Amino acid sequence: MARGYHRKTVPFPDRTAVHHTPPSVEPRMVPCSKTVRFSAETDLFPFVVACHRLASWAESIQMEGMVVPNRQHLESRTSVVVVGAGAIGTVVADSISHTADVTLIRRATTAAMWIDHGSGAERVDARIASSPAAVDPVDWIVLTTKAQQVVSAREWLAALTGPQTRIAILQNGIDHAERVSEWVPPERVVPAIVFISAERTGPDIVTVRQLDELVLPDTAAAQDFARLFPEQFPVSLDPNFETQAWRKLIMNAALNSVTALTGRTVGVAKEPGGRELIATVLREGIDVARARGVRLTQDELTLMRRKIEKLPPTAPTSMQLDRAHGRALEYGYLTGAVLKEAAAVGVPTPTTLALHNLISAL
Ligand SMILES: CC(C)(CO)C(=O)C(=O)O
């Protein structure tokens, strides 16, 4: 599979260790100019690390083409902590690790995460933190837990939030800012709509199926967040973000519910029965959105169905995977959100309600 974006890879097995946990070695005086050059053949790795730690006047150290920025340089980069090292969190951590100093939160382990875009696994260049005591306030928190897990990330959010911290929320549903209102005001929140099909295929590895889109509102904070991504990453700013958020909500309410209930991948939506059921739930959601004043196109149903058609039939949805792994389900923020909004405007949504009730009975 072709990669969704390109990255510079460094042919050295332990580059993360160089960046983040240099082994302790005896420091020696070395002649450092702006850049220090070594040859790997002479096995100078520990020496390079010592230089890396001491030579604050060098901007970088080069060894056989590998460039190791010095600590001071690293420390001046934007600090980002990704809370939630699942599929989306790992994809984001990997892609922004080229411009930012990234930490991934993994509660149960300190093992690195790996990513496979279809051409083999690559180590994600991110520090791992597993205790809130080990982190300080950062420039950006990227929240990629499931919507219902924000509550269990409280300790992390408290430890990571400072007076300037901004939070990007890459989660399903609407009303993203409300979920973190305890920590930051709405202008420091960037909600994001994610169309990335990726899956944890092992305890430490994420396989990416399709990198489609990351949509942000067109705000100052979102522009700053977008700048962290490499140019080739499909991130866009949409002034009509509310419409995008509702589109995704309606699509998730239909697709994630049907796949979670049937235990089938997206292919179920392409069969006559599944297609009809999904179309009914989409129609109900569209009625609710219109009644709430959300700006949708005339042909919204076709647009949403096309989006679903474009998804690979073998791709699972997040709620289907959560059910398969016995995890808590996100339905409260999907069908639950549609039902809440429907109640506020008195729009009937019987099929959405039926799916919602079935899922809550699982
Ligand atoms: C894969 C996709 C786009 C399907 O609705 C999704 O958002 C999810 O699984 O949560």
Side-chain angles (χ1 to χ4, degrees), residues 76-147:
S76 68
R77 299 206 302 174
T78 305
S79 55
V80 179
V81 169
V82 179
V83 180
I88 304 301
T90 302
V91 172
V92 170
D94 178 57
S95 52
I96 63 180
S97 65
H98 305 275
T99 55
D101 185 17
V102 182
T103 300
L104 253 175
I105 303 301
R106 300 197 72 189
R107 291 166 207 237
T109 172
T110 53
M113 280 305 289
W114 293 72
I115 191 157
D116 186 353
H117 283 266
S119 50
E122 287 178 57
R123 186 175 171 153
V124 177
D125 191 8
R127 184 185 289 125
I128 303 294
S130 13
S131 154
V135 295
D136 292 316
V138 284
D139 298 321
W140 282 98
I141 297 171
V142 181
L143 193 50
T144 55
T145 62
K146 293 289 159 46

Side-chain angles (χ1 to χ4, degrees), residues 91-92 95-96 99 170 214 216 225-233 235:
V91 172
V92 170
S95 52
I96 63 180
T99 55
L170 281 62
L214 186 68
L216 313 176
F225 183 58
R227 268 184 223 112
L228 296 176
F229 288 84
E231 218 175 279
Q232 300 87 344
F233 195 92
V235 54

